[in-house]
């Protein structure tokens, strides 16, 4: 089984907490807003309290001095470094000592700033954790940056804005490359790096060849030279713009980041026992497969996120029937903590419903003493669930997924998705369910476009897939399709914007077929007719693992495996040393991530511009079938609705979109990466709160022994709390457990 990213990142944080063991046992945790959000994805408040943390404070609030040592867990911004220095300047000593943990690499100027400041004598350690990425599932990660879709694919507004748009994109890609490098460092992996290099279209968005950004043309007459070497550097630089794809730029940046980390940490990656074969990072983008975000998927997770109002892939509101028969509004969290969800999320909806009913009937027999025929339908389950008040948690899980499955099937019937999906599958695969070339696609599609039972959103999906199947259609044919479907101008814009993702929309009579090297493979083993299409990422991963992936289509950035299969090449044991950079004090170390010991080779896939839930599913399915640890990540996870909405705003640089309602900025890029980074994680200082004294008689406090709150600024996103350490140290048994429960309620992550 593939090692969970959630567990890996969780253990990195816990290892940091456990590495600080002050003499007085207790310690304070100081965090900023972004760290708080990242921590909450992998740790519960109780987990942090268990590590002898007696108080959590926000670095941006006004804090009282404490007689404990402190763990600072922060983003390495100039603002945060200055706040740490302020805590130990001008005669002030905020804590007995400071253990600094930065989630990203700390720049040399900021390191020098720290070590030459009045805070230096109080610094016990300075370490880098390299965990600045969002772990969304056991095998998925994200940058949570949907605005990058517009940065990558929106065409610059005019010729004069190409240079600025490209510089801003490169700035964003530099940030993304460091997040991908963080993931590799956390996994203790220095992978080979491959990237998608399409041959059927030019670079897109701000990277498309343009006189503003292209190198000057070579002198006249140089084209007569036949060899690339003889033609000279000028010609090579001029032509380089034709292959400056976002995937190539990003992959090169990741390679550079990892090489810099290796130079500063010669022991990276540390040897594992048993040795693990060197993995591969594959960088691709949304333009490689524009079909996957449009097509209706019928596996549970993908279908739910397509048809139901699931917020951010994790929050779902539904009606829950209580034991007295009344209905309550519930908001459920869909996460890896829900075992029912993780069991069925990649199953076809029919199999998922069968599994839910089978598990429910088994649960009834095992726990409720139920005797009888069991639930035969979703409605039977609903009736029986209402009679299980004593099993509240399990009732809620079954009720949640029962509601989701039932709502999906209701929409499936109401929206005629069986007919719509059949047209989509024929367009996406180029074959009918019998394996023949579709001859009656238009005849099947037009009644659906004319009908009012099919939503315009689903009509757009069919038309987009049909146009891509035909590799573009004459303008008159496209106009007729829009007319049949009664699409608004904005909906037409969404289809027309596919040209900015490298698809051909318009086709003349003499235009030849576009030659694409990467094509959908027929899957004869698929038992569901409406699930014949598989995302292209499946083919890419399979061909890579089987050493069949075309190196002209997916070249390596630098190193490539030798003639041996990658599985046979084990990484060499590097020189054992742990210094973060040369000439740094010995207390400044890079924390070694504690990835589970396992020897399965890894494949890490990154999709710039958004990944789909169908692609996420393939990572899990192929991990099992190929016996590899496969992880997939992206700038963000995209649903069909979000993709459609983003396409509508693509030519407007995102104006009106959910991600960037005012559009992507057109201002000049920052002077330095640190300036960009500081702005990204800037947290304004709150105004000083009026001091209010709470007078509590000492005798009362001693008698009650209750937890006391340390009040922070009302503008803080945190509610800090503390305990009386002496009284906590004297607790035992049930009293201590009760105190922990009370203590937990004081934190708001």
């Amino acid at each position: 089984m593939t090692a969970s990213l959630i567990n890996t990142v969780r253990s990195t944080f816990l290892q940091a907490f456990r590495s600080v063991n002050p003499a007085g046992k207790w310690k304070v945790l100081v965090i900023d807003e972004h760290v708080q959000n990242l921590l909450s994805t992998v740790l519960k408040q109780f987990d942090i309290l268990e590590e002898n943390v007696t108080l959590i404070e926000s670095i941006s609030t006004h804090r009282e001095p404490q007689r404990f040592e402190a763990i600072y867990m922060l983003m390495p911004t100039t603002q945060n470094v200055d706040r740490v220095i302020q805590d130990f300047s001008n005669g002030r000593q905020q804590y007995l000592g400071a253990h600094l943990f930065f989630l990203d690499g700390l720049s040399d100027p900021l390191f020098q700033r720290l070590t030459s400041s009045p805070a230096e004598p109080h610094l016990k350690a300075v370490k880098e954790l390299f965990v600045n990425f969002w772990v969304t599932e056991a095998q998925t990660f994200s940058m949570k940056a949907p605005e990058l879709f517009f940065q990558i694919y929106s065409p610059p507004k005019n010729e004069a804005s190409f240079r600025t748009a490209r510089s801003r994109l490169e700035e964003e890609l530099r940030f993304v490359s460091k997040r991908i490098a963080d993931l590799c460092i956390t996994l203790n992996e220095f992978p080979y790096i491959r990237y998608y290099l399409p041959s059927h279209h030019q670079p897109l968005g701000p990277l498309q060849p343009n006189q503003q950004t292209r190198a000057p043309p070579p002198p006249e007459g140089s084209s007569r030279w036949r060899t690339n070497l003889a033609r000279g550097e000028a010609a090579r630089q001029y032509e380089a713009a034709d292959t400056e794809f976002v995937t190539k730029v990003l992959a090169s940046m990741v390679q550079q980041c990892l090489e810099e980390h290796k130079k500063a940490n010669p022991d990276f990656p540390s040897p594992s026992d048993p040795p693990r074969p060197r993995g591969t990072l594959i960088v691709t983008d949304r333009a490689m497969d524009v079909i996957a975000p449009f097509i209706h998927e019928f596996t549970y997770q993908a279908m739910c996120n397509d048809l139901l109002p699931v917020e951010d892939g994790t929050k779902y509101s539904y009606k829950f029937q209580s034991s007295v028969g009344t209905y309550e509004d519930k908001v459920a969290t869909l996460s890896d903590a829900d075992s029912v969800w993780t069991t069925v999320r990649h199953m076809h909806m029919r199999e998922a419903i069968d599994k839910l009913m089978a598990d429910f009937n088994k649960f009834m027999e095992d726990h409720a003493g139920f005797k009888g025929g069991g639930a035969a339908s979703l409605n039977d389950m609903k009736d029986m669930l209402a009679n299980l008040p004593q099993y509240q948690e399990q009732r809620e899980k079954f009720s949640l997924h029962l509601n989701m499955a039932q709502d999906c099937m209701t929409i499936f019937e109401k929206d005629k998705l069986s007919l719509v999906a059949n047209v989509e599958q024929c367009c996406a695969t180029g074959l009918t369910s019998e394996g023949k070339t579709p001859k009656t696609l238009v005849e099947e599609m037009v009644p659906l476009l004319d009908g009012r039972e099919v939503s315009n959103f689903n009509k757009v999906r069919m038309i987009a897939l049909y146009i891509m199947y035909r590799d573009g259609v004459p303008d008159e044919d496209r106009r007729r399709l829009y007319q049949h479907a009664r699409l608004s101008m904005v909906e037409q814009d969404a289809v027309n914007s596919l040209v900015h993702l490298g698809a051909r929309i318009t086709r003349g009579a003499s235009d030849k077929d576009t030659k694409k090297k990467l094509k959908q493979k027929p899957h004869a083993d698929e038992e569901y007719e409406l699930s014949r299409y598989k995302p292209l990422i499946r083919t890419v991963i399979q061909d890579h693992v089987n050493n069949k992936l075309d190196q002209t289509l997916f070249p390596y950035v630098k190193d490539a495996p030798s003639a041996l299969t990658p599985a046979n090449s084990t990484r060499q044991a590097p020189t054992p040393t742990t210094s973060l950079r040369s000439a740094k004090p010995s207390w400044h170390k890079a924390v070694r991530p504690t990835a589970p010991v396992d020897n399965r080779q890894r494949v890490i896939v990154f999709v710039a511009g958004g990944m789909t839930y169908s692609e996420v599913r393939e990572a899990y399915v192929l991990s099992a079938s190929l016996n590899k640890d496969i992880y997939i990540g992206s700038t963000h996870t995209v649903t069909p609705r979000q993709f459609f909405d983003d396409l509508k705003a693509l030519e407007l640089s995102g104006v009106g979109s959910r991600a960037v309602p005012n559009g992507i900025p057109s201002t000049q890029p920052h002077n330095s990466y640190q300036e960009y980074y500081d702005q990204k994680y800037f947290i304004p200082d709150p105004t000083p709160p009026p001091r209010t004294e709470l007078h509590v008689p000492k005798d009362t406090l001693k008698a009650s022994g209750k937890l006391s709150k340390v009040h922070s600024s009302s503008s803080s996103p945190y509610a800090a709390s503390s305990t009386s350490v002496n009284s906590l140290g004297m607790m035992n048994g049930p009293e201590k457990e009760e105190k922990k429960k009370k203590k937990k309620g004081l934190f708001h992550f």
Side-chain angles (χ1 to χ4, degrees), residues 459-472:
K459 291 175 182 179
V460 165
R461 293 165 76 165
M462 279 191 289
I463 290 172
L465 290 167
Y466 176 74
I467 289 174
M468 287 188 283
Y469 162 63
R470 294 292 305 276
D471 196 15

Side-chain angles (χ1 to χ4, degrees), residues 287-304:
M288 184 186 84
D289 185 356
V290 190
I291 291 174
F294 275 122
I295 203 160
H296 278 90
E297 288 280 343
F298 299 114
T299 47
Y300 189 66
Q301 182 184 36
M303 190 175 182
C304 289

Side-chain angles (χ1 to χ4, degrees), residues 434-495:
E434 292 81 28
K436 298 177 181 177
T437 302
K439 303 287 187 184
T440 59
L441 256 183
V442 175
E443 288 83 350
E444 291 177 46
M445 186 167 60
V446 168
L448 295 171
L449 298 180
D450 286 335
R452 296 192 180 273
E453 307 87 24
V454 179
S455 68
N456 274 25
F457 175 40
N458 287 335
K459 291 175 182 179
V460 165
R461 293 165 76 165
M462 279 191 289
I463 290 172
L465 290 167
Y466 176 74
I467 289 174
M468 287 188 283
Y469 162 63
R470 294 292 305 276
D471 196 15
V473 296
D475 285 341
E476 180 60 22
D477 289 1
R478 186 156 47 101
R479 187 188 63 78
R480 285 177 182 166
L481 288 171
Y482 293 162
Q483 201 170 27
H484 276 292
R486 294 180 294 279
L487 298 187
S488 67
M489 292 303 295
V490 175
E491 290 164 340
Q492 293 177 34
D493 288 344
V495 180

Side-chain angles (χ1 to χ4, degrees), residues 244-428:
E244 285 292 293
F245 291 91
V246 66
T247 46
K248 180 180 180 180
V249 174
L250 182 57
S252 301
M253 287 179 173
V254 176
Q255 180 79 39
Q256 182 185 353
C257 288
L258 289 172
E259 286 177 354
E260 287 173 358
H261 183 77
K262 172 74 173 176
K263 186 177 178 181
N265 299 271
D267 64 331
F268 170 74
S270 56
S272 59
D273 185 21
R276 183 197 298 274
R278 187 176 178 184
T280 301
L281 167 67
I282 299 174
V283 179
T284 180
D285 75 326
R286 188 65 275 147
M288 184 186 84
D289 185 356
V290 190
I291 291 174
F294 275 122
I295 203 160
H296 278 90
E297 288 280 343
F298 299 114
T299 47
Y300 189 66
Q301 182 184 36
M303 190 175 182
C304 289
N305 277 279
D306 184 358
L307 304 185
L308 305 181
V310 181
E311 184 185 338
D312 197 28
T314 59
K315 294 280 191 296
Y316 180 65
S317 301
Y318 70 108
K319 297 281 187 185
F320 173 70
Q321 188 175 8
S322 69
S323 56
V324 294
T326 58
Y327 283 89
E328 306 169 12
D329 288 327
K330 285 273 186 182
V331 178
T333 299
L334 305 171
S335 71
D336 283 39
D338 180 349
S339 58
V340 177
W341 170 247
T342 55
T343 301
V344 301
R345 65 185 170 192
H346 300 134
M347 291 181 179
H348 188 277
M349 182 58 81
R350 194 179 79 180
E351 295 171 357
I353 290 172
D354 289 346
K355 175 70 174 169
L356 283 171
M357 289 201 293
D359 287 354
F360 173 73
N361 287 329
K362 185 175 187 305
F363 170 77
M364 291 288 286
E365 289 176 15
D366 292 349
H367 300 285
F370 176 79
K371 302 298 178 188
S377 69
L378 293 177
N379 283 327
D380 286 351
M381 279 180 67
K382 208 170 217 175
D383 294 338
M384 294 160 74
L385 276 169
N387 298 315
L388 293 176
Q390 66 273 42
Y391 301 106
Q392 181 74 6
E393 184 180 350
Q394 205 63 22
R395 271 185 73 225
E396 289 191 13
K397 284 185 181 178
F398 279 123
S399 181
L400 163 67
H401 296 292
L402 159 67
N403 272 275
M404 290 175 67
Q406 198 164 45
D407 289 350
C408 282
M409 295 314 297
T410 301
I411 295 170
F412 179 85
E413 298 294 338
K414 180 174 71 70
D415 289 0
K416 296 185 177 295
L417 291 190
S418 59
L419 298 175
V420 171
N422 183 57
V423 171
E424 291 177 353
Q425 290 294 324
C426 292
C427 292

Side-chain angles (χ1 to χ4, degrees), residues 52-340:
N52 299 326
V53 172
T54 186
L55 174 66
I56 295 182
E57 296 188 305
S58 165
I59 194 167
S60 59
T61 60
H62 300 277
R63 293 160 286 135
E64 295 296 325
Q66 301 290 333
R67 303 305 296 164
F68 302 105
E69 291 185 12
I71 297 174
Y72 286 82
M73 201 165 275
L74 307 168
M75 305 307 296
T77 63
T78 304
Q79 185 187 34
N80 279 342
V81 167
D82 286 345
R83 283 169 172 159
V84 173
I85 293 171
Q86 287 168 16
D87 281 353
F88 299 94
S89 298
N90 302 320
R92 181 183 182 190
Q93 184 176 351
Q94 186 72 28
Y95 307 104
L96 293 182
H99 303 259
L100 304 187
F101 292 88
F102 292 105
L103 264 61
D104 266 342
L106 181 68
S107 68
D108 281 327
L110 287 184
F111 178 74
Q112 296 300 332
R113 194 168 182 154
L114 263 178
T115 54
S116 59
S117 74
E120 195 273 340
H122 305 280
L123 302 183
K124 304 280 187 179
V126 180
K127 300 181 182 180
E128 298 162 315
L129 297 179
F130 301 106
V131 285
N132 186 20
F133 53 90
W134 298 92
V135 179
T136 48
E137 290 181 16
Q139 291 176 232
T140 66
F141 62 98
S142 173
M143 308 297 136
K144 290 195 176 182
E147 67 278 4
L148 281 175
F149 178 79
F150 302 104
Q151 299 267 15
I152 295 169
Y153 298 116
S154 284
K157 295 173 184 175
N158 50 54
E159 287 290 310
S161 59
F162 260 89
R163 188 181 299 279
T164 301
R166 178 176 178 134
S167 297
R168 287 201 69 95
L169 173 60
E170 289 176 345
E171 192 172 63
E172 295 292 344
L173 294 179
R174 175 71 61 193
F175 176 79
V176 172
S177 70
K178 289 178 181 291
R179 306 291 68 74
I180 300 172
D182 279 1
L183 174 86
C184 295
I185 294 166
T186 297
L187 288 173
N188 190 40
E189 183 74 67
F190 194 156
Y192 298 107
I193 302 178
R194 305 184 77 166
Y195 60 92
Y196 174 53
L197 189 68
S199 58
H200 63 284
H201 66 77
Q202 285 192 318
L204 305 167
L207 295 176
Q208 57 188 284
N210 177 269
Q211 286 189 346
Q212 269 209 346
T213 53
R214 191 196 278 273
E220 288 290 329
S222 60
S223 59
R224 65 189 177 87
W225 296 103
R226 294 190 177 185
T227 67
N228 195 33
L229 184 65
R231 286 169 57 234
E233 185 63 24
R236 287 195 295 277
Q237 286 186 0
Y238 178 78
E239 291 165 4
D242 297 325
T243 59
E244 285 292 293
F245 291 91
V246 66
T247 46
K248 180 180 180 180
V249 174
L250 182 57
S252 301
M253 287 179 173
V254 176
Q255 180 79 39
Q256 182 185 353
C257 288
L258 289 172
E259 286 177 354
E260 287 173 358
H261 183 77
K262 172 74 173 176
K263 186 177 178 181
N265 299 271
D267 64 331
F268 170 74
S270 56
S272 59
D273 185 21
R276 183 197 298 274
R278 187 176 178 184
T280 301
L281 167 67
I282 299 174
V283 179
T284 180
D285 75 326
R286 188 65 275 147
M288 184 186 84
D289 185 356
V290 190
I291 291 174
F294 275 122
I295 203 160
H296 278 90
E297 288 280 343
F298 299 114
T299 47
Y300 189 66
Q301 182 184 36
M303 190 175 182
C304 289
N305 277 279
D306 184 358
L307 304 185
L308 305 181
V310 181
E311 184 185 338
D312 197 28
T314 59
K315 294 280 191 296
Y316 180 65
S317 301
Y318 70 108
K319 297 281 187 185
F320 173 70
Q321 188 175 8
S322 69
S323 56
V324 294
T326 58
Y327 283 89
E328 306 169 12
D329 288 327
K330 285 273 186 182
V331 178
T333 299
L334 305 171
S335 71
D336 283 39
D338 180 349
S339 58
V340 177

